[in-house]
Amino acid sequence: MSSTEGGKGKTGKIDQMMDTHKHMSYISWLSGDRSVDRGTLPKTSDKIAERYVTEAKTHVKQGHKYVSKAFVGENGSRFIVLGVPDSKHQGIAVIGVIKQDIVTQVERHQKRNLRLVPYPAEGNYRIESVKPNSTTDITVRTGEDNGNASHYHVRDVVVHFANKPSEQQMKQIKSKINAHAVQQIGDTYVFRSKSMDAEKMIKYFRKSWKTEYVEPHYLYMTNEAAPNDALYSEYQWNLPSIKTELGWDISKGNDHVLVAVLDTGVQADHPDLKGKLSGGTNIVDSAAAPNDDVGHGTHVSGIIGATVNNGEGVAGLSWYNKVMPVKVLDSSGAGSAYSVAQGIIWATDHGAKVINMSLGNYAQADFLHDAVKYAYDHDVVLVAASGNDNTERPGYPAAYPEVFAVAATDAKKQRASFSNYGDYIDVAAPGDSIASTYPGGQYAALSGTSMATPHVAALAGLIRSVNPDLTNVEVMDIMRKSAEDLGEAGKDNYFGYGLIDIDTALKAASQYGAASLQTYPMQVKKRLNAITQKYSKQ
């Protein structure tokens, strides 16, 4: 290994990266002909790792990205070689050999929890989890920098035609640009392509059609609200689809409003969750920390609270609300009604304002319901997953009247094929191929109502951040009334009141008070009740 000027600094950063991301087995930082290397190349019978690293160096020196085919080392682990050139400094690049055992782990995890394979082998308890799916975006929904601090949809273009296109001409345009969607506002059209980027579409319309103007689709995203997290723009379709960036202009959360996650625990030292956790406990083993030995809880926690705008991994829905991990499920991913009930009571007694339960069972349990009512009576917002069996059979705790029940949607705002349904559903949220944190300092895209639920729990946390005076009943009412109606008009069994809308909900929460004539009677009733309770205790 040769070193460069300032090599010690680079070495420290590389060591830190490999320490927090255990799946990185080898990293090489290149500057011209010099390099700083760490780790070891996986052993293979045909030295394929060495060949791929050599190929990667050739590509990155030419300014091109490199991705090798997956290969298997002598120890049975799966690897891939990546090469990434620095976009701003010619000749500087990073090459990494990444262990991909997570692919097998996630697939096994998802198959078990959707019962695509028999799981659990025995037992009465059912947890709502995930299924294997693709992370390929169906549509691009996020903004990218346009070079002048503005932002635009990368596969959208706005066109004002000099003459309105005929029906036949519109078919021709849709075919040419591989259109995914077309919106018309007066004489202006917004075209979204499945494959063509904005720059190419602009050239096409200017060359082939007589137009008043053609421009990028400058949308609601601001510089502050478009996070720089590495996986955000390519994989996190879910946040823009529920107007999260717009909502951040109203509130990014408050670290005093805790969101408890009752699950399998969490990887406390995950680089995207450091500083975002608060307290927590292990109900399964009171002598141990609430560490995640399954993966489910870490993924759910990241959807709520992964650090935003740190250039690392994914962005959570909340910038500042902290996650309280409460481990109620064991290493098999299952837990008793008693442990879940204990977790609810513990979280309530330790200051949780919202409780997320991405778990469930089709049998009612009186003790669990008593715990739910205890939290509800203490003004906690309880949110739970409906289940992943595509059934109308009510699941618990989601179907308890005190609990806010969540169904799942996909990127097309359609019901996810696995999502349970019924008249107890309150709202729907994105649950198909959701990118989030995963144990080992890694990231994974998982699917399930388990993934939809933390979107709603995070929204409840944001609402309670922007207006702490709201009761749990008022928070739930705002989430229902602000939802985007999907499916049949009004409330239905598949989407409840509709898809959550972060922006509309936070606007409603911020305006909810005595100054509003619409809510004034409710505010007066709250104050009278508070006065009555105060004097009844004297």
Side-chain angles (χ1 to χ4, degrees):
M1 182 193 82
S2 60
S3 63
T4 67
E5 184 178 352
K8 290 184 178 179
K10 296 299 179 187
T11 299
K13 289 181 180 179
I14 293 173
D15 289 341
Q16 181 182 12
M17 183 182 298
M18 296 188 72
D19 185 56
T20 55
H21 298 279
K22 301 297 185 182
H23 55 293
M24 295 182 175
S25 63
Y26 171 87
I27 293 179
S28 179
W29 180 83
L30 306 177
S31 179
D33 294 327
R34 297 170 294 179
S35 68
V36 176
D37 304 332
R38 278 293 183 271
T40 56
L41 293 174
K43 292 182 180 180
T44 58
S45 57
D46 53 1
K47 294 188 176 182
I48 194 169
E50 288 88 340
R51 294 208 310 271
Y52 281 148
V53 168
T54 300
E55 288 181 11
K57 289 181 178 180
T58 301
H59 279 73
V60 297
K61 286 180 180 179
Q62 297 173 354
H64 304 306
K65 291 182 180 180
Y66 176 84
V67 181
S68 76
K69 294 180 179 179
F71 62 95
V72 178
E74 289 182 352
N75 64 354
S77 291
R78 169 189 170 114
F79 297 89
I80 192 170
V81 177
L82 302 177
V84 182
D86 191 314
S87 59
K88 296 180 180 179
H89 302 93
Q90 189 174 0
I92 296 178
V94 174
I95 293 172
V97 179
I98 313 299
K99 185 184 292 185
Q100 288 196 310
D101 289 350
I102 185 176
V103 174
T104 304
Q105 295 167 8
V106 169
E107 183 179 19
R108 182 169 59 248
H109 177 89
Q110 294 175 323
K111 284 182 176 180
R112 290 187 313 185
N113 287 288
L114 277 186
R115 293 187 180 178
L116 298 176
V117 295
Y119 172 77
E122 294 178 332
N124 300 320
Y125 303 105
R126 163 81 168 141
I127 60 169
E128 309 307 341
S129 187
V130 296
K131 70 169 187 176
N133 212 317
S134 169
T135 57
T136 303
D137 285 346
I138 297 173
T139 59
V140 175
R141 299 176 182 273
T142 62
E144 285 189 354
D145 194 347
N146 192 37
N148 60 356
S150 295
H151 291 79
Y152 65 98
H153 273 303
V154 294
R155 289 181 183 168
D156 279 13
V157 67
V158 179
V159 183
H160 186 119
F161 292 99
N163 300 300
K164 183 178 178 181
S166 65
E167 186 176 339
Q168 184 61 36
Q169 289 173 323
M170 188 58 68
K171 287 182 180 180
Q172 178 184 344
I173 291 170
K174 289 180 180 179
S175 174
K176 184 67 177 181
I177 68 170
N178 194 18
H180 172 74
V182 180
Q183 292 178 294
Q184 183 180 358
I185 308 169
D187 295 329
T188 304
Y189 293 79
V190 180
F191 294 94
R192 172 166 292 175
S193 172
K194 294 179 181 178
S195 56
M196 189 179 293
D197 61 34
E199 186 176 359
K200 290 181 179 178
M201 282 195 287
I202 289 172
K203 290 180 180 178
Y204 161 72
F205 281 108
R206 287 176 177 170
K207 180 180 179 181
S208 304
W209 301 91
K210 188 175 181 181
T211 61
E212 297 291 337
Y213 58 80
V214 183
E215 64 183 16
H217 188 188
Y218 298 106
L219 221 54
Y220 54 73
M221 289 179 289
T222 64
N223 290 329
E224 184 182 35
N228 63 12
D229 302 81
L231 301 177
Y232 183 81
S233 62
E234 188 170 357
Y235 296 107
Q236 290 191 267
W237 64 268
N238 47 317
L239 270 63
S241 75
I242 52 176
K243 300 181 184 176
T244 307
E245 295 114 329
L246 265 181
W248 284 339
D249 288 337
I250 302 167
S251 175
K252 293 184 175 69
N254 185 318
D255 60 8
H256 294 298
V257 178
L258 302 180
V259 180
V261 173
L262 273 60
D263 217 290
T264 61
V266 67
Q267 182 195 341
D269 62 349
H270 193 291
D272 229 355
L273 291 173
K274 285 184 177 180
K276 295 303 298 292
L277 305 178
S278 176
T281 192
N282 188 332
I283 301 296
V284 177
D285 181 359
S286 60
N291 295 323
D292 188 1
D293 43 16
V294 177
H296 193 263
T298 298
H299 195 275
V300 168
S301 297
I303 293 171
I304 297 169
T307 305
V308 184
N309 225 32
N310 65 342
E312 171 81 40
V314 296
L317 270 83
S318 170
W319 293 54
Y320 303 121
N321 292 100
K322 289 195 174 183
V323 171
M324 175 189 286
V326 181
K327 184 174 175 64
V328 298
L329 305 178
D330 61 23
S331 59
S332 73
S336 68
Y338 183 79
S339 65
V340 176
Q342 280 185 298
I344 292 172
I345 295 169
W346 189 94
T348 300
D349 290 345
H350 287 79
K353 298 297 184 183
V354 181
I355 294 179
N356 184 95
M357 296 178 286
S358 291
L359 47 83
N361 184 320
Y362 295 112
Q364 297 193 57
D366 289 338
F367 180 69
L368 176 59
H369 196 187
D370 284 345
V372 164
K373 288 186 281 190
Y374 175 81
Y376 182 82
D377 291 342
H378 282 75
D379 197 35
V380 177
V381 178
L382 298 111
V383 186
S386 61
N388 302 333
D389 295 310
N390 187 28
T391 178
E392 196 172 9
R393 187 168 63 244
Y396 298 90
Y400 289 130
E402 300 85 2
V403 178
F404 203 80
V406 184
T409 57
D410 61 18
K412 295 180 180 179
K413 295 187 178 181
Q414 297 176 352
R415 183 176 77 93
S417 60
F418 50 78
S419 183
N420 285 2
Y421 53 94
D423 59 7
Y424 68 97
I425 298 296
D426 287 288
V427 296
D432 186 54
S433 193
I434 306 301
S436 185
T437 47
Y438 204 73
Q442 301 180 85
Y443 301 87
L446 307 180
S447 302
T449 55
S450 283
M451 282 64 255
T453 303
H455 288 79
V456 181
L459 172 56
L462 290 171
I463 289 173
R464 304 205 93 161
S465 298
V466 77
N467 192 339
D469 293 332
L470 294 171
T471 67
N472 56 355
V473 174
E474 291 166 342
V475 172
M476 291 189 284
D477 189 51
I478 286 172
M479 292 195 294
R480 295 185 189 103
K481 289 182 177 178
S482 62
E484 176 189 351
D485 191 18
L486 299 179
E488 297 178 2
K491 187 179 187 295
D492 62 64
N493 286 356
Y494 294 115
F495 304 99
Y497 287 88
L499 180 68
I500 59 168
D501 184 318
I502 305 291
D503 178 53
T504 303
L506 293 184
K507 283 178 179 175
S510 65
Q511 297 165 4
Y512 201 105
S516 170
L517 290 175
Q518 185 177 8
T519 63
Y520 184 75
M522 189 177 295
Q523 295 295 321
V524 172
K525 184 178 179 180
K526 278 177 59 180
R527 292 185 179 184
L528 290 174
N529 286 339
I531 293 170
T532 301
Q533 291 175 8
K534 177 181 178 181
Y535 285 101
S536 66
K537 295 177 181 178
Q538 294 182 350

